[in-house]
Amino acid sequence: FIRGPGQEWFAGGRKRTRFQRLDLRAAGAGTIQANSAGSTVRFAHEAAGQPPVSFSLDERALVPGAPADNRLRQTACPGPPPDGAWACTLSGDGRLLLAALADGTLRWYAARDGKLLLSLFTHPDRKRWILWTPSGYYDASVGGEDLIGWHVNRAATQAADFFPASLFSERHRRRDIVSLALFTADEHLAIEQANARTDRKEDSVPLRLRLPPVVTIVEPQDFTPARNEKLRVRALVRSPSGLAVTSIYPLVQGRILKGRSVAVDIPKLISGVPGQGEQALDFLVDLPAEDATVTLLATTELSQSSEPARVHLRWEGAHRAKTEMPNLRLLAVGLGHYKEARLGTLDYPPKDARDLAAALHEQQGKQYRTVESRILVDQDASASKILDSMAWLRERSTRNDVAVVFLAGHGLNDETGRYYYVPYEGDPRPDEIARTMLPADKIQELLRQFPGKVVIFLDTCHSGNVWQGGAPGDLARFVNEMASADNGIVVYTASTGAQTSLESKVWKNGAFTKAVVEGLRGKADYKRTGEIKVSMLNSYISDRVRALTEEKQTPAMALPRTMPDFVLARVPVPKPLYKRWWFWGAVGSVVAAGVITGAVLGTQVPSPCAGMAVNDCRPL
């Protein structure tokens, strides 16, 4: 099922998501064009008047406003189109039939037998997308993997469950299978080949047993006033799989509070008939002295974490004194020169790292009590030094602090789709990747242990085709995993898909870092309130990078659903004109000039009434 954007309905007292169909026929174009292999498609999108978009399966890139391309053609489909299709075409080689359906999806079918191979849903924001096979193997953009999911019915009088695809990412996020689906024109063959290449066995556990628990917060209600730093939370928990719930844990402001929260009366087992029976649990949670979001997550031995159950609280207690302002600590890594000459040279990552550090140090005494940083560039940015510096960040951070990590340089994915950051000694040969590079899961494991808020800036796709054992880094999987509910990390990435991150001698920075620094120094303060929140910085970065690169680079951001928007930087509030000294000086100058001009004119131009009686002189 496709999840519609931001729409909800209520049944049985529970909030549920309503699925929305987007009729692509509203665009009125009635055309769909594809290249020879069927891997690039251009089509009308979502609303009348909107220009077409194109999607490249090879580059995993969605391009809004895509111009006409003479390599793309619409070829008449043999026989009737698939049910619900309003437009279809054949790939240039005749192997694939592509159809645009009225449910808002694009579908690829094998022309020889009509079997469905792959589906694509593009969100109306023209940024997020998800691809999936009939068995549910998928690949997605940053923020896109919750656009589809599994709908599981319950009793006739009970609301159905919906489980987003992200809850099964360990099993079903398979970039390799998706890539092979069109090449083989057979999903089962694609699965076999992908598993053979990576020596991976197909998961034989029934999906029903992978279903995570369902958690509902009963008390307190949303936006309940909070005055104490201790809060009791009551929740109902059930297990649709019928397996025991093995862990239930709270998060505050999107972060797991290790040693800070105590679960009361957690049962050893919550099991029985799948989906039936709920058990009440109480939790005692520590709150910060600010508006807060409390989240509960649960797992079974076979599932990933559940959908987050959240409650938002309005703080009405005492606020922190200025001496309790948070601290900020930064690790900035910029690699322009590598030990391996084949990796080439990047001009500005070291400068990018230093420039970001300078911009954040300006926040000392404004948003943060202190700002500390470690900067690693070129030969100092070895894997061991990066890991040591991350450990330094973790050890120095407290629950109230903010940790920022900036990584600029090269990144790559191996053939399984696993992402690596390339340190100074990184070697791209297939048998050296695992030994010499920093894997995404290692970075993720360290960052999720931080007690406070964590923000990471990733500018790691500068390079083109320099790889022997992998492909230029596609960050989407890494970003989605880090921003998941149980990791709670805010992620900004310089580009999406296989795009190249651009740098220029004109800017003397990468486009992404230039936008980040400008935004932190005030240009992201759209509301002129003096506060720059993480979402505001994202808006500025997105617009600025696309303008700088003439739409060649599309940055992205992932904010965990469990984490509220928060202030990252403060800047002086611009004064209105009437409060600026030079404004009144200018006004005075204009007035004085007018008086002087009038006086001069008055002495030089005789009055038209001169020498006449008052009653004989009338204005015209």
Side-chain angles (χ1 to χ4, degrees):
F1 280 83
I2 302 165
R3 167 179 275 182
Q7 305 224 353
E8 298 172 333
W9 60 284
F10 295 83
R14 303 292 179 80
K15 185 184 292 187
R16 290 289 181 247
T17 298
R18 186 175 74 187
F19 305 112
Q20 176 178 329
R21 290 188 173 187
L22 302 174
D23 192 347
L24 297 185
R25 290 174 297 181
T31 59
I32 175 174
Q33 300 173 315
N35 65 349
S36 177
S39 58
T40 299
V41 58
R42 182 175 182 265
F43 54 97
H45 193 264
E46 194 263 321
Q50 290 273 32
V53 301
S54 71
F55 181 81
S56 168
L57 180 67
D58 298 328
E59 296 182 359
R60 298 297 201 270
L62 178 67
V63 181
D69 187 338
N70 58 16
R71 294 171 298 179
L72 308 179
R73 291 183 173 82
Q74 182 166 13
T75 305
C77 293
D83 290 342
W86 59 268
C88 71
T89 187
L90 283 173
S91 61
D93 58 15
R95 297 174 59 250
L96 305 171
L97 185 150
L98 293 80
L101 273 60
D103 64 359
T105 63
L106 287 171
R107 311 269 176 148
W108 285 261
Y109 301 85
R112 65 172 182 263
D113 55 17
K115 285 186 178 179
L116 177 63
L117 301 173
L118 201 59
S119 303
L120 168 70
F121 178 72
T122 55
H123 192 276
D125 64 14
R126 301 160 77 86
K127 295 179 181 178
R128 287 176 286 166
W129 54 264
I130 187 165
L131 283 162
W132 70 98
T133 69
S135 298
Y137 295 107
Y138 72 91
D139 194 15
S141 68
V142 172
E145 61 182 349
D146 284 345
L147 295 176
I148 66 166
W150 277 263
H151 175 99
V152 180
N153 286 325
R154 301 173 65 202
T157 58
Q158 296 173 315
D161 288 323
F162 179 80
F163 298 98
S166 61
L167 302 184
F168 309 93
S169 60
E170 291 178 2
R171 170 175 174 166
H172 281 278
R173 181 152 192 160
R174 294 291 302 273
R175 179 185 177 91
D176 50 353
I177 292 175
V178 170
S179 295
L180 287 168
L182 299 189
F183 177 77
T184 61
D186 184 303
E187 183 191 17
H188 296 296
L189 185 58
I191 294 170
E192 289 179 6
Q193 290 188 9
N195 288 338
R197 288 181 182 181
T198 58
D199 196 25
R200 179 171 176 172
K201 294 182 179 179
E202 189 170 4
D203 190 340
S204 60
V205 177
L207 185 62
R208 180 184 64 80
L209 295 179
R210 298 284 187 190
L211 296 178
V214 174
V215 185
T216 306
I217 294 178
V218 180
E219 295 178 2
Q221 299 295 312
D222 248 353
F223 300 107
T224 296
R227 299 177 180 87
N228 299 312
E229 294 188 2
K230 296 288 185 181
L231 176 74
R232 188 169 295 277
V233 178
R234 167 151 288 208
L236 298 176
V237 186
R238 60 183 171 85
S239 177
S241 68
L243 299 178
V245 175
T246 54
S247 66
I248 306 171
Y249 49 97
L251 295 81
V252 175
Q253 304 295 60
R255 303 296 291 165
I256 298 173
L257 302 182
K258 296 185 181 300
R260 289 279 188 166
S261 302
V262 180
V264 181
D265 297 330
I266 293 183
K268 292 182 179 178
L269 297 176
I270 303 175
S271 56
V273 180
Q276 306 299 316
E278 293 180 313
Q279 187 153 348
L281 299 173
D282 288 331
F283 293 84
L284 191 63
V285 178
D286 289 345
L287 293 180
E290 60 188 18
D291 293 350
T293 298
V294 176
T295 305
L296 294 179
L297 299 174
T299 62
T300 70
E301 61 180 345
L302 293 181
S303 77
Q304 295 179 223
S305 295
S306 64
E307 270 276 82
R310 297 187 299 273
V311 62
H312 307 282
L313 302 167
R314 189 174 66 252
W315 181 253
E316 292 187 356
H319 289 277
R320 286 197 194 95
K322 190 170 183 178
T323 55
E324 296 182 85
M325 290 170 64
N327 300 301
L328 183 142
R329 293 177 181 87
L330 165 70
L331 168 60
V333 182
L335 274 153
H337 297 83
Y338 291 84
K339 185 176 181 181
E340 286 286 336
R342 77 191 74 185
L343 292 177
T345 299
L346 302 170
D347 292 330
Y348 294 112
K351 183 175 182 295
D352 287 345
R354 295 186 181 101
D355 287 353
L356 178 64
L360 288 174
H361 272 281
E362 293 169 9
Q363 289 298 311
Q364 184 162 307
K366 297 176 182 177
Q367 172 62 13
Y368 306 101
R369 185 161 59 90
T370 62
V371 175
E372 298 179 75
S373 63
R374 280 193 180 180
I375 302 173
L376 303 177
V377 300
D378 294 342
Q379 65 268 24
D380 288 332
S382 64
S384 60
K385 287 186 177 180
I386 294 172
L387 294 176
D388 287 345
S389 296
M390 286 188 178
W392 166 79
L393 274 183
R394 183 187 59 205
E395 292 163 3
R396 296 278 290 164
S397 296
T398 69
R399 174 184 171 183
N400 297 325
D401 294 341
V402 176
V404 176
V405 176
F406 174 81
L407 300 176
H410 284 320
L412 68 81
N413 295 81
D414 65 16
E415 60 183 5
T416 70
R418 191 184 194 194
Y419 181 81
Y420 293 84
Y421 178 65
V422 185
Y424 174 71
E425 72 276 22
D427 188 333
R429 289 178 294 179
D431 56 345
E432 294 294 327
I433 290 176
R435 187 181 68 83
T436 63
M437 298 192 185
L438 281 177
D441 50 5
K442 182 65 175 178
I443 297 172
Q444 182 177 306
E445 177 188 351
L446 287 169
L447 294 183
R448 75 185 303 238
Q449 296 173 14
F450 285 36
K453 297 182 179 72
V454 180
V455 180
I456 182 168
F457 294 92
L458 296 167
D459 196 357
T460 64
C461 297
H462 283 280
S463 176
N465 298 318
V466 299
W467 313 115
Q468 295 181 6
D474 179 0
L475 286 165
R477 178 173 184 167
F478 182 28
V479 171
N480 285 332
E481 287 176 350
M482 284 200 296
S484 64
D486 49 351
N487 285 328
I489 299 167
V490 180
V491 188
Y492 295 89
T493 176
S495 56
T496 54
Q499 290 178 334
T500 298
S501 293
L502 302 176
E503 54 183 24
S504 170
K505 293 180 179 178
V506 176
W507 317 320
K508 292 184 170 54
N509 281 115
F512 175 69
T513 303
K514 177 177 173 61
V516 172
V517 170
E518 289 178 351
L520 290 172
R521 285 180 168 155
K523 290 191 175 181
D525 183 17
Y526 292 115
K527 298 181 179 179
R528 298 296 185 263
T529 61
E531 294 182 343
I532 297 173
K533 294 187 175 182
V534 290
S535 61
M536 297 164 66
L537 183 61
N538 173 53
S539 296
Y540 181 79
I541 293 171
S542 179
D543 292 341
R544 183 63 167 147
V545 170
R546 292 173 70 174
L548 285 170
T549 64
E550 299 178 344
E551 303 290 337
K552 295 183 178 68
Q553 183 176 331
T554 308
M557 171 214 180
L559 177 68
R561 287 179 293 157
T562 55
M563 180 173 287
D565 203 4
F566 63 90
V567 177
L568 188 59
R570 293 185 187 274
V571 293
V573 180
K575 293 181 180 179
L577 287 177
Y578 69 86
K579 289 188 177 182
R580 295 174 183 252
W581 65 268
W582 56 262
F583 174 80
W584 290 112
V587 170
S589 299
V590 172
V591 171
V595 171
I596 293 171
T597 301
V600 171
L601 290 175
T603 61
Q604 294 179 348
V605 180
S607 170
C609 296
M612 299 175 63
V614 172
N615 290 338
D616 294 331
C617 184
R618 297 283 187 272
L620 297 177

